[in-house]
Each structure stands twice: as C-alpha cells, then as structure tokens.
Amino acid sequence: MSRRVVITGMGIISPLGIGIKENWEALAAGKSGIGPITKFDATNFPSRIAGEVRNFNPEDYIDRKEIKKMDAFIHFAIAATQMALNDARLTIDQSNAVRVGVIIGSGIGGLPLLENQYQAYLKGGHRRISPFFIPGMIVNLASGQVAIKFGAKGPNSAVCTACATGTHAIGDAYRLIRVAEADIMIAGGTESVITPLAVGGFSSMKALSTRNEEPEKASRPFDAGRDGFVMSEGVGVVILEEIGSAVKRNAAIHAEIVGYGMSSDAYHISAPSTDGPMRVMQNAIRSANVDPSVVDFINAHGTSTPQGDKAETDAIKKVFGERAYKIAISSTKSMMGHLLGAAGGVETIATVLSIKHDTATPTINLTAPDPQCDLNYVPNQSRKMTINYALNNSFGFGGTNASLLLKKYSE
C-alpha cells in the first residue's frame, strides 16, 4: 500500500517571529533574526550572538501549573502543535484519536533544565533535584506531552539525529501514513539550548561565527567571509494527512510530500562529505519516481560553515549536473540561524511557503560569493518564480542526512 500524503497544518516559532505570518513576511523580506545573547552572560565566550525567540509566553498555550514540569523545547512543541492544529482546522477526538500519531524530535532536548538541576544538586545534594527533572528534559517527552495534551493515540516516537532531526521526523511520519499505520501525523523538530554549556561546546569545536559586532551579518552561507554558524532556537511542526482524509474534511492543503531520502556519510563525526548529501537527494528524488529535472528550488542545509557549504554545493552538482546552475538555491539559516534539531521542521515549513507563494526566499549576507560555491543561491533578495517541486536538505553530526521532496498540490 502506498498512499499520498499532504500537509494541512503548520506551526512555527523562530527568531523571526511567532506563527506563519510573521515568519513568512520576515523570510520574504530578507530580515535577520540574529542578535546578542541575552539568556546568559556570554561576555567571555568567543561567540556572543544567537537567534533567540522573543515575545513567547508559554502561558498562552500551557496551564501555568504544568509549565514548570517541562523544559522550553517541550513548551515550543506544544505551542507549535496548537498552531498547526488550528491551521489545519483539525480536532482530535474519539472518532480519530487512534489514527493520529506524533513524531517530534530534538537534537539535544532539555539541556537548560539539566544545567539548572546540576547546580541545584551541587548546592543541596540529591534532595534538591526536582521530580520533574527527567520527564522535563528527555527528548521523547516533546512527542509524549503533545500526545497527552491533544489526545493523539496513534504511533508516538522521537527522532534524535542532530541537525537532521526535524526532517527525519517529518519523513518518518510521512512513511507511516504511506503504509497506513496512521492517517494523520503531527511531526517536526524543536530546540532551545542557548546555554553556557551548548554555546561553550560548539565554541570549543570552532563551529560558531565570532562576528559578534555584526550579529545580523554573521550567518552568511556560501559567502567567502563566512566563519561558522549561529546557534538559534525554535520549533517547526506540521500536520501530515492522508489525502483522502484531508479531502473528506475539506481541509486547505498547503503542499504534498512526494519523496523522502535518508543516507549516511560513514565518514566523520562532524566533517561533512559530498557522497552522503549527494545520495540523500538522489534517494528523495528516486522515491518520488520523478526525474531530477523537475526540481525548481532547493532549501539548502547551508549552515555558513566553510566545509559544509562547499560539500553541499559539490553534492548538488553531482546530482543535477549542468542543470545545478539553473536551480534556485537558498539558505534560510542566513536569516534564522541554525536551529539544530528544529532546523528541519522550520525549513520544511519555509519550503512549503516558498511553493505556496511561488517565491524563492533569499540567502542574505551573500555579498562576496566563495568561488568554490558558484551556484544560483538567490542572493539577498527574494525572487518570484514558479516552484512546483522543491527539495529541503538537512545534514547532521555523525554524517546522518535527510531530504524531503515537496510538490505544489494538485488533484
């Protein structure tokens, strides 16, 4: 059995704003969400900038008594799910609950709570540790809490594949609907780890940009002046639905997922290869049973790291040959920064919006292109164009790769 899967709801929180409207307007306008770190004193850190979420109040979505039982990545997941369900005009009740599942992943999970509780332990011993510490921080409790709050009794799982997490979660959920394990899936990625340990850890790896005096210019994928990525936080959740269910409900269909690819570099814990990204795009296109020539737009992984951007560029050339130079390619990380495990969720939504609006979002800060990155990256301003098929790429530490092929919906 192989069924068609469409996207009928979307919920997003990012450094660019809360909700679809704020995020799309910022993306289309080429606005940066990067600024100085305010969540802790980063004065002595090499990188002192990040993409923080602003103006988010968990009490808008979660009972005040429950908020302290969960870390911020779970707050984000619940809020984005509420937005997505509202967007889909979907109610989960006894008539459909066992056919609605959840796969929401996170790259790191509740690191802020872990840091907080370790400090409590050092000050007062084990009796100072909260009973909600473990269920408030483990990765699968984003999916678990979403299922509990909204009553989804179908498949429930959590993906943890570093920066490919959100795309793997959506792809895995897509496959469950394809084989009739579920009719509707809530899927995506969530992350909130702008903390001393996380920023310090990535700084030790020399992975982060240190353009501290110009935060809005720090994330510059494919530019010769790029010096690393910018950490960000947020969430992207979509409602995936079997097409018959969506049509029966008269739901508004945003786009269709037609292909999903997975691959492994089997090469290095953090250094990217060209082979793995090449094969994951080929796998996504092959699974859709279409020719590579149909692809109009690629939302690149595009982290703004010297090695990663070149590897992805080389991989795109290997997949598409000379046509690679004609495909519009963009990195939304130039505006949002890198949301780690949430990246695939928010970038899938950005790709869907590009298809809906027939607009390739820009790669901002691309002012002096790296000669080794010589493709059509839509520099600095969005571009109106017909987008029927679009790829969304996500590559994670450990050499784990995911790619989704999305299509403009038609009956």
Side-chain angles (χ1 to χ4, degrees):
M1 179 179 291
S2 182
R3 309 192 299 175
R4 292 175 67 186
V5 180
V6 294
I7 296 173
T8 55
M10 300 187 287
I12 184 171
I13 299 169
S14 88
L16 296 178
I18 296 173
I20 295 298
K21 184 174 185 294
E22 280 190 29
N23 273 274
W24 176 248
E25 289 178 352
L27 286 169
K31 178 182 176 183
S32 172
I34 310 303
I37 290 175
T38 64
K39 286 179 173 283
F40 66 94
D41 182 1
T43 302
N44 295 319
F45 284 68
S47 179
R48 302 187 291 277
I49 54 178
E52 297 180 347
V53 167
R54 305 173 187 88
N55 304 317
F56 173 70
N57 182 6
E59 291 185 20
D60 292 342
Y61 306 92
I62 307 167
D63 186 274
R64 182 180 296 180
K65 294 179 181 177
E66 300 297 315
I67 289 173
K68 291 184 179 179
K69 301 176 183 177
M70 318 165 191
D71 210 347
F73 80 108
I74 301 177
H75 300 161
F76 283 166
I78 290 173
T81 299
Q82 183 66 72
M83 294 177 197
L85 289 171
N86 291 346
D87 183 41
R89 292 176 292 170
L90 177 66
T91 300
I92 303 172
D93 55 27
Q94 290 186 344
S95 69
N96 62 4
V98 297
R99 299 294 296 169
V100 181
V102 187
I103 302 181
I104 298 175
S106 180
I108 302 177
L111 185 62
L113 188 58
L114 188 152
E115 293 183 29
N116 172 279
Q117 291 298 294
Y118 186 58
Q119 289 298 319
Y121 167 73
L122 292 177
K123 291 177 181 175
H126 70 89
R127 296 183 188 279
R128 296 289 296 272
I129 299 173
S130 166
F132 301 109
F133 165 46
I134 298 299
M137 66 156 287
I138 55 179
V139 166
N140 71 299
L141 258 292
S143 278
Q145 289 283 13
V146 164
I148 291 167
K149 180 170 179 62
F150 298 103
K153 298 182 178 179
N156 190 287
S157 183
V159 173
C160 182
T161 50
C163 305
T165 293
T167 301
H168 273 139
I170 294 170
D172 291 354
Y174 156 76
R175 284 183 173 168
L176 286 176
I177 296 176
R178 291 262 292 177
V179 298
E181 291 287 330
D183 295 328
I184 298 170
M185 292 294 296
I186 301 163
T190 180
E191 202 81 85
S192 180
V193 290
I194 300 175
T195 72
L197 272 182
V199 175
F202 282 118
S203 292
S204 293
M205 298 179 72
K206 301 188 185 307
L208 300 181
S209 171
T210 57
R211 198 182 288 262
N212 296 304
E213 307 309 316
E214 298 179 299
E216 73 283 356
K217 297 181 180 178
S219 184
R220 40 196 322 116
F222 310 112
D223 187 87
R226 67 193 187 278
D227 68 335
F229 71 82
V230 178
M231 275 185 64
S232 293
E233 62 179 351
V235 60
V237 168
V238 294
I239 305 297
L240 305 184
E241 191 163 356
E242 188 274 325
I243 192 168
S245 169
V247 171
K248 184 178 179 181
R249 293 194 311 108
N250 197 29
I253 296 174
H254 297 306
E256 181 172 0
I257 299 181
V258 293
Y260 171 45
M262 305 171 73
S263 76
S264 173
D265 292 355
Y267 171 63
H268 192 272
I269 57 170
S270 58
S273 79
T274 299
D275 174 66
M278 174 193 72
R279 286 186 291 105
V280 78
M281 286 184 274
Q282 290 175 332
N283 290 342
I285 294 167
R286 186 182 302 115
S287 76
N289 196 29
V290 297
D291 190 88
S293 64
V294 304
V295 176
D296 304 301
F297 175 63
I298 299 174
N299 192 339
H301 186 58
T303 57
S304 183
T305 59
Q307 288 179 305
D309 292 354
K310 181 181 183 303
E312 188 170 11
T313 296
D314 292 344
I316 292 170
K317 291 177 182 177
K318 287 179 178 291
V319 173
F320 296 98
E322 283 300 313
R323 190 170 178 278
Y325 292 88
K326 298 180 180 178
I327 299 172
I329 301 164
S330 184
S331 171
T332 50
K333 290 185 179 72
S334 63
M335 295 170 278
M336 293 180 167
H338 193 347
L339 281 76
L340 309 178
V346 299
E347 291 166 16
T348 295
I349 291 173
T351 308
V352 170
L353 293 171
S354 285
I355 292 171
K356 283 192 69 173
H357 294 279
D358 278 324
T359 300
T361 50
T363 303
I364 69 168
N365 300 320
L366 183 50
T367 55
D370 181 343
Q372 298 183 100
C373 300
D374 56 352
L375 297 178
N376 180 12
Y377 303 112
V378 194
N380 301 309
Q381 292 186 332
S382 59
R383 180 185 304 164
K384 292 294 290 185
M385 58 176 285
T386 300
I387 302 177
N388 289 315
Y389 286 87
L391 277 171
N392 183 48
N393 288 338
S394 295
F395 313 138
F397 279 176
T400 179
N401 309 302
S403 187
L404 288 170
L405 183 60
L406 304 164
K407 178 179 179 288
K408 191 187 293 288
Y409 173 69
S410 63
E411 295 182 5

